[in-house]
Amino acid sequence: MALIVLWDIDRTLIDNGGVSKEIYAAAYETVAGRRPLEPPVTQGRTDRLVMRDMFARNGAAEPEWPRVEAALTRAGRDRLATLRTRGAALPGAREVLKAASVRPGWVSSVLTGNIAANARLKLAAFDLDPLLDLAVGAYGADAEGRPDLVAVARDRVHRAHGLPATTPVVLLGDTPQDVAAALASGSHIIAVSTGTDSPAALTAAGARVVLPDLADTARVLRLLETVEGA
């Protein structure tokens, strides 16, 4: 038996305390040379799409992606202390990640809109990074659309761990975009209503399972075991 478990980060595993939007705004200012008049809109999108939208709505030409990624990396690094002060690991996140990390045959990683540097930084801020196989995750610079990230993670997991192509994949996230990514890629989805989207909105997007949070470790593990045994 084997299972690939892919966790979203912001508002699924951690509360970033509003630092994410400050990172986007700071990166925009670094690259564009002026503060944005229009704020970033995230809604579960990848960093590529968030920043592209910011440039468009603020009337600025979109620069080459490496410049944007470098600015995002620097902005994230500069706000690590603020993140630790204002943010927190969400209830149950540490416990369920620890439990998943020691299950035989399971590969537990991330599928996130954050670029890899900021994903690692956000997890490390709350000592969650050792509980995940981050080398095989999928990140916001790997593809523009969230559904495309699933194939990226699958490929990395298969190459690193030799799991068969038929290994089931389950995503855990808090937005309709997480749900859509799972459905579009033939993956399973466990949604949590720890973000801004209501349980009704997540259900309407297609999630069959919507949890209030990750606090009930035993329940989350049972749901993952159900996917593993499907």
Side-chain angles (χ1 to χ4, degrees):
M1 302 294 285
L3 183 66
I4 300 170
V5 187
L6 301 174
W7 308 81
D8 176 49
I9 296 176
D10 292 299
R11 294 179 173 172
T12 297
L13 296 177
I14 73 162
D15 175 358
N16 64 58
V19 171
S20 280
K21 291 192 174 182
E22 294 176 8
I23 290 173
Y24 294 128
Y28 175 90
E29 184 174 358
T30 294
V31 176
R34 56 184 172 85
R35 293 182 179 179
L37 298 176
E38 297 292 332
V41 178
T42 53
Q43 297 177 331
R45 294 184 295 179
T46 64
D47 279 2
R48 280 182 178 268
L49 292 182
V50 171
M51 293 303 294
R52 175 173 295 168
D53 178 65
M54 278 196 76
F55 287 110
R57 288 189 299 109
N58 284 278
E62 183 182 357
E64 294 294 321
W65 171 249
R67 287 186 61 203
V68 179
E69 185 171 11
L72 286 168
T73 300
R74 184 163 56 252
R77 187 171 57 243
D78 290 346
R79 285 159 181 78
L80 175 57
T82 302
L83 176 63
R84 284 176 170 154
T85 300
R86 286 174 21 199
L90 287 172
R94 188 180 316 280
E95 292 78 11
V96 76
L97 288 180
K98 184 176 181 179
S101 71
V102 297
R103 283 296 180 104
W106 289 16
V107 177
S108 183
S109 190
V110 296
L111 189 145
T112 174
N114 290 283
I115 60 170
N118 287 345
R120 291 175 180 274
L121 178 139
K122 288 178 176 181
L123 294 165
F126 309 108
D127 300 318
L128 299 178
D129 51 320
L131 304 176
L132 292 153
D133 186 349
L134 296 178
V136 299
Y139 303 93
D142 291 326
E144 291 189 354
R146 202 174 190 96
D148 297 326
L149 293 179
V150 181
V152 173
R154 271 188 176 131
D155 181 62
R156 287 174 177 164
V157 170
H158 294 326
R159 284 190 284 112
H161 295 280
L163 297 184
T166 55
T167 303
V169 177
V170 57
L171 276 57
L172 293 96
D174 65 288
T175 71
Q177 286 75 18
D178 294 301
V179 178
L183 297 179
S185 62
S187 305
H188 300 264
I189 178 70
I190 298 173
V192 289
S193 56
T194 42
T196 59
D197 291 289
S198 68
L202 295 167
T203 300
R208 294 184 178 180
V209 177
V210 181
L211 304 179
D213 52 37
L214 297 172
D216 190 340
T217 302
R219 185 181 181 189
V220 177
L221 292 176
R222 285 196 301 270
L223 290 167
L224 292 173
E225 289 165 356
T226 299
V227 175
E228 181 186 24

